Amino acid sequence: MIQIKNVSKVYRNDTVETKALDDVAFEIKKGEFVAIMGPSGSGKSTLMHILGALDTPTSGTYILDGEEVGKLSDDKLAEIRNKKIGFVFQAFNLLPRTTAMKNVMLPMVYGDVAKSEREARAKKYLEMVGLGDRMQHTSSQLSGGQMQRVAIARSLVMDPAIILADEPTGNIASNQASEIMAIFQDLNEQGHTIIMITHEPDIAEHAKRIIHIKDGKIVKDSDKHSQRRAK
Amino acid sequence: MEFGEILSEALTALTINKMRTGLATLGIIIGIGAVIALISLGQSGQKAVESQIQSLGSNLLTVIPGSPNSGGIRQAAGGLTTLTYDDAKAITTSATVTDVANVSAELSRRAQVTSGKNNTNTQIIGVTPSYLTVHNLSMQSGSFIIQRDVDSLGKVVVIGPQVVSDLFGDGSNPIGQTIRVNKLALKVIGVTASKGGSGFMNQDDMVFVPLTTAQKQLFGVDYLSAISIQAKSDKVMTDAQDQVGYLLLSRHKIGNPAQADFSILSQQDIMGAASSITGTFTALLSGIAAISLVVGGIGIMNIMLVTVVERTREIGLRKALGAKKKSVIQQFLVESIILTMLGGVLGMVLGMVLSVAVSKIINLPFVISFQAIALAIGVSGGIGILFGWYPARKASNLSPIEALRYE
């Protein structure tokens, strides 16, 4: 599903070179639930940008769902993000003053999904995350946990190869955070591949596999821990 | 992304901040409004001038003293004293002048006219009987000046309807009454019919006296200010102009036509000069108005740039979710075009209301041209594209990472 081979990312700022990722390599198979953990400055955000096709590596190859996402044009990357990746952000990133329904329909607008189908799909996924009764609410009328559930519904509508969650519980109260983790675990059991970036160990424990990253290198990759159940 | 969706997204974005949308549009409303109002007022003015000049007769030639000046009217020409009543008589009787139907010798000055307690300052014209025919004038009541009045320095006067209302506002019949021009008592023998002019060359606001009376009794001069000539038809204007020109050159003993001490103007010449003056004014004023349009456009660009910064996170999100550069450009461009087109339509309405109001006040015909409407729509749409392009491009080039991080 995902193959990262010898990926490095170097940022050049005038004369100073910063190596954010240093020769990283790993594979993620279909149906995995992976947490990428590390302190701030470890390179996990850079890794997430590359995995999310928001950025391209300086060297090395990244193959997503059989397609090399190395040196594609901006518009081609936009298409990859639209079709193959479902994003869940720390700050939810919902459109303000817009209903949950419209927010969930947004990726389909850019993905050329037939108009007649959009509403049905959005409704299906909103019901799946337990927001069937709040579809016409705007973001300001929803709690943090509810907003993140809208974002999860949005990440699912294009039926992506992977769901990429960047600190998904970072802005949510802890009781609602476990609800979000429960949803991810449900999705994973239904066969969705999930990659979650976090710095909180107790959140990371909800995943089946944890990749530890530090100073741009993978320091530990374990799938032998006991997965913590959210419910 | 379909056009209908882009449109509805743009409208939603614009209605979120109504105050800002209104202010951004205001610049365009004022700019387009000013351009439309000035263009249509300019055209009204031009039309008014043309119809007045045309009402004087299309086969009219005017001989005025002063050297010829191609394409223009010499303003100081009245000060020259080279044309005489004998010149006019010669044009009538000469065998070489074959294409001229009527000749009118004229001396015009402004003077004070009084009747009892009323008085007015108006144009006094010393005329011969042919004035009536040459200038397409007719009588409302009484009779016009006849040749015997001219020969005998008759103390008679014919007045225009405007003068009647100025001097005899109480409704009494002016015929037979006495009015004073420069203290000389003259008896009113007729009133001319209204030609409905206004402003310059208003033929309703004139006082006609026998030419000789004007020359010897009123103003003490022996020259003419103009000779008006009616050609036999508008097809022989050039021939008539040449014939009169050669006759006067030989009478004035001038060999070189370039040194002639008179000019012959046709209606076309006068109309051309007058419309080129009004045309220049219209162009000048529209140019000034166009500057305000450019300022309005810069206002739109400003607002759009602010919008792009303000919506950085939104743009980043859209790009992360799969929006291509083209979609982002379209979204912002459509917003700025809607802003300017809205301004264009409202500005057009404002401009029309203004020009209707002004033409009512100064009594001009109201003209609204399709050119002006097409200009308003076209220019405002163009401004939307021109000044919206840069902010839209800026938005589309935002990196999704930077944009998502932006607080």
Side-chain angles (χ1 to χ4, degrees):
Chain A
M1 172 70 55
I2 285 180
Q3 281 176 290
I4 293 277
K5 287 183 200 158
N6 312 105
V7 163
S8 295
K9 180 75 188 179
V10 179
Y11 291 107
R12 279 193 187 82
N13 188 354
D14 291 332
T15 50
V16 188
E17 276 195 6
T18 317
K19 216 163 200 184
L21 283 181
D22 187 3
D23 203 17
V24 173
F26 60 87
E27 274 186 34
I28 294 174
K29 294 190 186 65
K30 191 171 162 57
E32 281 198 82
F33 185 176
V34 183
I36 296 175
M37 265 202 80
S40 58
S42 59
K44 64 180 193 302
S45 288
T46 308
L47 183 57
M48 123 99 191
H49 292 153
I50 288 172
L51 287 172
L54 292 164
D55 206 349
T56 50
T58 313
S59 64
T61 52
Y62 168 32
I63 295 166
L64 169 64
D65 202 17
E67 193 164 358
E68 153 118 47
V69 193
K71 314 263 180 281
L72 293 176
S73 70
D74 280 5
D75 279 353
K76 196 77 190 132
L77 286 176
E79 210 176 305
I80 297 270
R81 292 194 292 267
N82 182 255
K83 301 261 183 320
K84 302 207 165 166
I85 300 160
F87 286 98
V88 177
F89 301 100
Q90 177 173 8
F92 324 129
N93 290 71
L94 300 182
L95 290 183
R97 292 166 286 247
T98 307
T99 61
M101 193 74 176
K102 283 254 167 70
N103 266 297
V104 174
M105 278 157 67
L106 192 59
M108 296 191 272
V109 170
Y110 294 117
D112 294 322
V113 173
K115 238 179 175 173
S116 51
E117 207 189 319
R118 291 181 198 164
E119 208 155 316
R121 266 210 233 174
K123 206 173 155 213
K124 174 180 147 195
Y125 287 106
L126 276 167
E127 276 165 0
M128 189 191 240
V129 297
L131 287 176
D133 54 342
R134 288 194 161 65
M135 293 193 288
Q136 296 307 321
H137 286 49
T138 61
S139 0
S140 57
Q141 297 166 318
L142 297 170
S143 72
Q146 287 168 335
M147 282 197 268
Q148 197 58 301
R149 282 192 270 163
V150 174
I152 293 170
R154 183 180 64 190
S155 75
L156 292 168
V157 286
M158 291 302 291
D159 194 21
I162 56 167
I163 292 167
L164 197 58
D166 181 17
E167 303 275 8
T169 55
N171 282 9
I172 315 179
S174 56
N175 61 324
Q176 290 180 330
S178 72
E179 277 175 34
I180 298 297
M181 283 304 112
I183 292 173
F184 278 139
Q185 286 177 339
D186 283 348
L187 288 171
N188 180 236
E189 269 153 34
Q190 289 163 29
H192 288 275
T193 311
I194 298 169
I195 302 172
M196 178 170 74
I197 316 283
T198 183
H199 68 278
E200 293 174 79
D202 51 337
I203 291 294
E205 276 166 25
H206 291 91
K208 288 180 187 160
R209 171 182 169 193
I210 304 176
I211 297 175
H212 290 267
I213 184 166
K214 199 182 173 193
D215 298 331
K217 290 179 197 278
I218 293 175
V219 291
K220 192 177 163 200
D221 186 347
S222 84
D223 51 2
K224 304 223 159 41
H225 76 283
S226 54
Q227 190 184 17
R228 177 166 169 176
R229 295 305 305 179
K231 277 183 276 191
Chain B
M1 208 169 170
E2 290 165 38
F3 185 70
E5 284 170 330
I6 300 174
L7 206 63
S8 82
E9 289 236 10
L11 285 173
T12 314
L14 290 174
T15 45
I16 282 172
N17 203 332
K18 291 195 187 67
M19 178 77 170
R20 178 194 290 171
T21 304
L23 287 175
T25 314
L26 197 60
I28 300 293
I29 294 178
I30 293 171
I32 293 280
V35 171
I36 297 275
L38 287 169
I39 288 179
S40 64
L41 281 177
Q43 284 173 339
S44 308
Q46 209 154 346
K47 206 173 164 187
V49 169
E50 280 170 15
S51 70
Q52 276 179 23
I53 293 172
Q54 227 139 32
S55 76
L56 302 176
S58 65
N59 50 357
L60 192 69
L61 289 173
T62 309
V63 185
I64 55 166
S67 62
N69 184 347
S70 59
I73 305 168
R74 287 181 63 100
Q75 295 300 315
L80 292 159
T81 59
T82 50
L83 285 182
T84 63
Y85 188 23
D86 287 340
D87 284 335
K89 283 184 196 158
I91 296 168
T92 322
T93 54
S94 168
T96 57
V97 179
T98 52
D99 290 319
V100 167
N102 287 294
V103 177
S104 160
E106 297 154 20
L107 171 65
S108 62
R109 289 283 172 89
R110 287 199 82 84
Q112 204 67 21
V113 181
T114 56
S115 164
K117 275 180 261 169
N118 299 325
N119 74 96
T120 178
N121 187 288
T122 184
Q123 196 76 23
I124 315 294
I125 307 188
V127 297
T128 57
S130 54
Y131 185 95
L132 212 56
T133 348
V134 171
H135 289 278
N136 277 338
L137 222 56
S138 54
M139 297 303 291
Q140 182 189 310
S141 59
S143 57
F144 198 67
I145 286 150
I146 55 171
Q147 190 59 40
R148 203 178 59 208
D149 297 327
V150 179
D151 293 342
S152 65
L153 279 69
K155 306 277 190 300
V156 293
V157 66
V158 172
I159 56 181
Q162 181 67 45
V163 181
V164 173
S165 65
D166 287 346
L167 294 182
F168 305 97
D170 55 0
S172 61
N173 184 7
I175 308 251
Q177 304 216 38
T178 302
I179 65 170
R180 283 172 186 277
V181 179
N182 276 2
K183 291 178 184 149
L184 181 71
L186 299 169
K187 190 176 140 203
V188 179
I189 57 166
V191 175
T192 57
S194 172
K195 283 193 99 176
S198 66
F200 114 111
M201 287 194 189
N202 183 355
Q203 297 198 77
D204 291 354
D205 192 11
M206 286 178 177
V207 167
F208 306 97
V209 296
L211 175 66
T212 47
T213 310
Q215 283 183 325
K216 301 199 169 80
Q217 309 253 2
L218 286 175
F219 305 122
V221 299
D222 56 3
Y223 52 82
L224 303 177
S225 50
I227 300 173
S228 296
I229 294 164
Q230 194 178 30
K232 281 193 172 142
S233 81
D234 52 7
K235 292 183 190 69
V236 295
M237 295 290 282
T238 326
D239 293 338
Q241 196 165 352
D242 290 346
Q243 292 161 8
V244 171
Y246 286 124
L247 176 71
L248 290 180
L249 280 175
S250 74
R251 278 183 57 84
H252 293 185
K253 303 193 168 53
I254 295 165
N256 181 359
Q259 287 169 346
D261 55 2
F262 60 88
S263 321
I264 305 175
L265 304 169
S266 66
Q267 286 302 310
Q268 270 85 354
D269 294 336
I270 298 173
M271 189 128 69
S275 8
S276 89
I277 292 168
T278 51
T280 309
F281 263 105
T282 308
L284 185 73
L285 292 172
S286 312
I288 294 169
I291 293 174
S292 69
L293 204 52
V294 172
V295 174
I298 293 170
I300 295 275
M301 176 140 85
N302 213 338
I303 293 291
M304 290 311 294
L305 282 173
V306 171
T307 308
V308 168
V309 172
E310 208 178 57
R311 286 159 67 189
T312 299
R313 276 177 73 83
E314 180 201 322
I315 297 161
L317 172 73
R318 286 176 186 274
K319 292 193 85 172
L321 296 183
K324 295 182 180 164
K325 281 188 180 185
K326 200 180 112 198
S327 318
V328 179
I329 289 184
Q330 274 173 348
Q331 188 185 346
F332 281 85
L333 215 49
V334 166
E335 269 183 40
S336 75
I337 293 171
I338 289 176
L339 275 181
T340 51
M341 292 280 252
L342 185 72
V345 171
L346 293 177
M348 194 174 72
V349 173
L350 176 77
M352 285 196 209
V353 169
L354 269 180
S355 51
V356 168
V358 174
S359 47
K360 277 259 156 58
I361 292 167
I362 61 174
N363 197 18
L364 283 175
F366 171 64
V367 184
I368 182 73
S369 62
F370 282 103
Q371 273 164 293
I373 294 172
L375 188 88
I377 304 294
V379 165
S380 58
I383 284 177
I385 295 172
L386 189 71
F387 291 99
W389 178 253
Y390 175 67
R393 248 190 74 87
K394 208 175 159 179
S396 78
N397 281 332
L398 281 172
S399 145
I401 303 171
E402 296 302 320
L404 280 171
R405 245 188 231 145
Y406 184 87
E407 290 300 332

